[in-house]
Amino acid sequence: MTRPLSPVRPHRPTLGDDVYESLRSAVLEHILAPGDRVNIDALARELDVSPTPVREALARLEAERLVRKRPRAGYTVSPLLTVAEFNDMFDMRLLLECQAARWAAERATEAQCEELMLESARTVEAGDDPTWHAAFTALDARLHDLVAHLSASPLLRESISRLHSHLHLHRRYFPYDQTAITNDEHRVLAVAIRDHDPDRAEAAMRLHLTRARERHLAAFER
């Protein structure tokens, strides 16, 4: 670990949620770096909690594929995506999320469309604190999940969610200097869904994901 974690001060319904959020942020910000072994007792001491919520949090992170558990070896932080895994993930996103956008345009209610428009207008101010990166990633993920929800297909939404694409992209590299472009693309998508134009919505999602792939590929050239 490059710097110690701060003790957890619970403010949500359960201590486990706080521990999970703390460890998740540590993985995303590379405080727990790819390949690091995870010492449960050491983390419990740093967070000033018992080992039980740490184990519970690690089980949740394993489900998100952010950590791996090996027999008799414990947990390690998952490696970053390879370029082949990255492209495979985007191929799946193009298949699933373009269809979600089309169905959202066909099926969303007016109230849901208004919610989507409001979500697409949200922004996160850039700052020196790296936590704003995670905040922007969460905002991006929420909009894509909302489009999946508006598709009125729980199975499609679950399939998109199980990719955990935003978590893995955030770990690798996010072109934060281009957040304004991402926001603009989100608004174009939201307007197409609000207008109940499935062809335009599908095209907007396809263009957004295609451009996002190009922006993120820069991480593999470094």
Side-chain angles (χ1 to χ4, degrees), residues 119-135:
E119 190 65 37
S120 71
R122 298 184 193 279
T123 58
V124 174
E125 294 296 327
D128 295 331
D129 186 342
T131 59
W132 82 268
H133 295 171

Side-chain angles (χ1 to χ4, degrees), residues 43-153:
L43 286 175
R45 286 193 297 272
E46 284 194 54
L47 298 173
D48 195 20
V49 298
S50 73
T52 298
V54 175
R55 291 192 187 95
E56 292 171 349
L58 288 171
R60 293 170 67 178
L61 294 175
E62 183 185 15
E64 295 176 334
R65 303 200 302 275
L66 292 179
V67 299
R68 294 178 175 180
K69 186 178 183 181
R70 299 179 186 275
R72 297 182 297 277
Y75 288 98
T76 58
V77 180
S78 298
L80 298 175
L81 295 177
T82 66
V83 68
E85 291 168 334
F86 167 88
N87 279 315
D88 189 38
M89 182 181 69
F90 259 94
D91 288 342
M92 289 301 298
R93 291 189 72 184
L94 284 163
L95 285 172
L96 298 173
E97 295 197 54
C98 290
Q99 185 62 51
R102 169 171 284 278
W103 281 348
E106 294 173 344
R107 301 171 178 177
T109 66
E110 296 305 318
Q112 288 174 328
C113 289
E114 181 62 26
E115 180 185 4
L116 180 62
M117 289 299 299
L118 290 172
E119 190 65 37
S120 71
R122 298 184 193 279
T123 58
V124 174
E125 294 296 327
D128 295 331
D129 186 342
T131 59
W132 82 268
H133 295 171
F136 179 83
T137 301
L139 196 70
D140 186 32
R142 277 202 305 274
L143 184 129
H144 282 264
D145 181 65
L146 182 55
V147 171
H149 172 60
L150 267 52
S151 75
S153 171

Side-chain angles (χ1 to χ4, degrees), residues 9-24:
R9 298 291 178 254
H11 57 272
R12 280 184 290 276
T14 68
L15 179 65
D17 288 334
D18 291 272
V19 173
Y20 163 73
E21 291 293 345
S22 180
L23 295 185
R24 183 172 175 269

